[in-house]
Amino acid sequence: MKFFPKSFIFGAATSAYQIEGAAALDGRGQTAWDLRNKDEFGKPTGDVGDVACDHYHLYKEDVQLMKTLGLQSYRFSVSWTRIYPNGYGKINPKGVEFYQNLINELLLAGIEPAITIWHGDLPLALDQIGGWQNRETITHYLNYAKTLFDLFGHQVKLWFTHNEPWCAAFLNEYPINQQLEIAHHLLVAHAQAVKLYKNHPNGNGKIGIVLNLGKQYPNTFDVKDYLAARNIDGFINRWFLDPTLKGVYPADMVSLYQKHDIFFSVEAGDMELIQENKMDFLGINMYSRGIQAYTEEGLFNARGVSNPNAQYTSMDWEVCPRSLYDLLVDIKETYNNVEVIIAENGSAFEDTVSEDGLVHDINRVDYLKSHLEATRQAIEEGCNITRYYAWSLLDNFEWGLGYSKRFGIIRVDYDTLKRTIKDSGLAYQKIIQERGL
Ligand code: BGC
């Protein structure tokens, strides 16, 4: 048996829009996601999150399931529009009540709550003023964050500012200079939120960001492939790691953008703010890796290559636990052994329910174990990793792909809403019980 350190914490993660449902209930305001896949009369034309896992009504049952699994911590996000239906203005007491009940239930079950302030579900009212492109959104985000610290900060001691700012900035149709501006505003909002928390009377816990990171490897030993891998690493990973941990943008990427006449505006004082307000830990969402080959075309001179010898998940993501180990060791060496929390890691596979009513998801069991082993080895190597959150507690609404992709260690039957702990959930339960592999 190989053990995890005594202080290591095992948990699972979800996000509000992906599990809660109750989209039009108790004063919740709309997000852009509420309008997607609906016709002009509001009738669904595809998968929507209106009901999802109905966690809004079934949270007590879900907390009991977490207890059965032995989870020590639960990472969830608050729905901004339950607290402020229009993004700002009057607080919605019903929304506050839901999260207060959830937090109380978790504490009663001996499970530590950990909150993501914003996980992809921007209020529609803010989207309509340009979302994160408009600096006004930063002001409203800070007001919302302060409200959460005021309301729940005495009970919740672990906070995540944003989930995956790279996705928020770059997974859209805007030109790259605007995308870089969105990224910059997210970084400014993050630094402001860290500052706010540190000066808040309830601010005696820890606060950090959650970045989606994937180690980038060159396709061959050719120096040009190294350049391609480095550029994609700069685009996805270092563009957020360097500002949040070193207070600066990566110089090679800044000159690459300048070379192509790509500029974005940085207001006076922004970089000082980012420099002066460092977070307590780095949250990482890791699912896969990238392999890059050099090409003459494109901004980054890179072309993603697939690995014919590897297993792929149903998201078409390569399973490569070794890349998690490499990523963690890189971070330790480059960023002064900052505290790292694995905020999400998991896999989507086609599940089938057996005749016994159970889900024998062998692929997900292997994925979970091999990535936990990579984490453990990185700890042995001296990396300061303190937590692991499995993605996800429940099968849920996988954004653009709806309910077709299942990431849960607990199955959700979307017709009956019945929950069934999968074999991967049982494997995780055993690992947590034994505190090792
Ligand atoms: C996000 C989750 C998402 C998961 C799988 C992350 O990008 O934080 O919301 O469901 O990965 O795609």
Side-chain angles (χ1 to χ4, degrees):
M1 207 61 207
K2 291 173 179 161
F3 294 100
F4 284 86
K6 281 205 172 64
S7 56
F8 193 80
I9 288 180
F10 296 98
T14 63
S15 91
Y17 189 71
Q18 295 181 274
I19 65 162
E20 285 179 3
L25 220 68
D26 292 342
R28 177 185 172 280
Q30 285 193 312
T31 74
W33 282 99
D34 292 286
L35 304 187
R36 247 175 104 122
N37 292 341
K38 284 183 186 161
D39 67 14
E40 74 244 63
F41 309 106
K43 218 177 125 232
T45 54
D47 285 349
V48 295
D50 292 7
V51 177
C53 309
D54 203 20
H55 172 76
Y56 189 77
H57 293 111
L58 300 176
Y59 72 95
K60 284 191 179 171
E61 182 184 334
D62 291 338
V63 171
Q64 284 314 303
L65 284 164
M66 294 178 214
K67 200 175 167 183
T68 305
L69 293 178
L71 299 189
Q72 295 171 278
S73 179
Y74 173 51
R75 173 180 169 239
F76 62 96
S77 77
V78 171
S79 153
W80 188 336
T81 58
R82 277 197 206 285
I83 306 295
Y84 288 108
N86 291 314
Y88 58 95
K90 239 178 104 225
I91 295 179
N92 171 31
K94 279 284 185 192
V96 174
E97 194 184 310
F98 170 69
Y99 293 107
Q100 188 58 73
N101 290 342
L102 173 63
I103 291 166
N104 291 347
E105 198 70 15
L106 286 164
L107 292 174
L108 203 68
I111 300 164
E112 174 210 48
I115 289 185
T116 311
I117 299 171
W118 178 61
H119 193 130
D121 49 356
L122 200 67
L124 187 60
L126 297 184
D127 250 322
Q128 287 164 343
I129 61 158
W132 289 107
Q133 261 185 82
N134 185 341
R135 284 183 81 112
E136 219 183 284
T137 297
I138 304 176
T139 311
H140 300 316
Y141 169 80
L142 290 171
N143 169 59
Y144 159 57
K146 180 181 176 297
T147 302
L148 297 188
F149 301 151
D150 291 345
L151 292 166
F152 309 126
H154 60 297
Q155 289 173 305
V156 178
K157 297 296 172 193
L158 191 67
W159 294 86
F160 303 94
T161 54
H162 308 307
N163 184 74
E164 302 194 349
W166 183 85
C167 295
F170 294 101
L171 298 183
N172 54 50
E173 304 291 315
Y174 298 122
I176 185 140
N177 59 323
Q178 276 180 42
Q179 295 178 326
L180 290 167
E181 195 149 285
I182 295 173
H184 182 66
H185 293 165
L186 284 160
L187 286 164
V188 169
H190 159 78
Q192 296 267 29
V194 170
K195 184 174 176 185
L196 186 77
Y197 184 68
K198 301 272 168 200
N199 293 313
H200 193 280
N202 288 333
N204 60 345
K206 287 187 177 183
I207 189 161
I209 201 166
V210 180
L211 303 180
N212 51 299
L213 304 180
K215 172 105 178 139
Q216 302 299 317
Y217 297 83
N219 188 37
T220 69
F221 290 113
D222 191 322
V223 63
K224 286 186 160 175
D225 285 356
Y226 276 89
L227 175 73
R230 183 152 177 83
N231 284 346
I232 298 297
D233 176 55
F235 173 49
I236 300 177
N237 301 326
R238 288 180 291 118
W239 196 254
F240 292 90
L241 283 167
D242 282 15
T244 52
L245 293 167
K246 293 181 173 171
V248 288
Y249 282 113
D252 60 325
M253 296 309 292
V254 172
S255 46
L256 186 149
Y257 291 135
Q258 279 173 356
K259 208 175 86 190
H260 288 89
D261 282 327
I262 297 165
F263 297 95
F264 60 98
S265 55
V266 173
E267 282 189 9
D270 283 356
M271 292 320 290
E272 289 75 10
L273 174 93
I274 289 171
Q275 175 70 247
E276 283 159 19
N277 295 284
K278 303 275 174 49
M279 56 196 179
D280 299 307
F281 64 84
L282 166 69
I284 293 182
N285 289 354
M286 183 278 176
Y287 290 89
S288 188
R289 66 154 169 177
I291 307 171
Q292 307 298 334
Y294 180 83
T295 153
E296 291 291 332
E297 270 135 58
L299 187 54
F300 303 115
N301 294 113
R303 172 176 61 85
V305 174
S306 55
N307 176 1
N309 303 313
Q311 181 194 21
Y312 280 76
T313 68
S314 65
M315 297 290 286
D316 219 10
W317 294 344
E318 183 189 346
V319 178
C320 187
R322 168 69 204 233
S323 73
L324 175 58
Y325 172 85
D326 287 349
L327 176 73
L328 292 166
V329 172
D330 272 7
I331 287 171
K332 168 187 156 222
E333 283 165 8
T334 317
Y335 300 100
N336 203 19
N337 208 8
V338 59
E339 178 180 347
V340 167
I341 292 177
I342 298 180
E344 283 178 34
N345 173 245
S347 55
F349 287 107
E350 311 285 327
D351 293 327
T352 46
V353 183
S354 303
E355 274 171 26
D356 55 10
L358 300 177
V359 183
H360 305 300
D361 55 338
I362 313 165
N363 287 327
R364 194 175 291 102
V365 172
D366 285 349
Y367 185 100
L368 175 75
K369 284 188 178 168
S370 57
H371 286 77
L372 275 169
E373 174 56 15
T375 306
R376 200 200 56 76
Q377 281 176 13
I379 296 172
E380 216 166 67
E381 198 53 46
C383 297
N384 184 14
I385 311 155
T386 55
R387 291 158 181 261
Y388 176 94
Y389 290 91
W391 183 270
S392 178
L393 178 74
L394 305 166
D395 287 339
N396 60 45
F397 180 82
E398 176 51 29
W399 304 114
L401 299 166
Y403 299 103
S404 65
K405 304 292 172 209
R406 293 178 177 271
F407 276 91
I409 55 173
I410 297 176
R411 180 182 175 83
V412 175
D413 179 323
Y414 293 114
D415 294 327
T416 61
L417 296 173
K418 184 175 170 240
R419 275 82 162 133
T420 307
I421 299 180
K422 301 180 194 176
D423 282 5
S424 54
L426 297 173
Y428 196 33
Q429 179 189 49
K430 187 158 179 279
I431 292 164
I432 300 172
Q433 238 162 40
E434 299 179 344
R435 300 201 53 82
L437 288 152

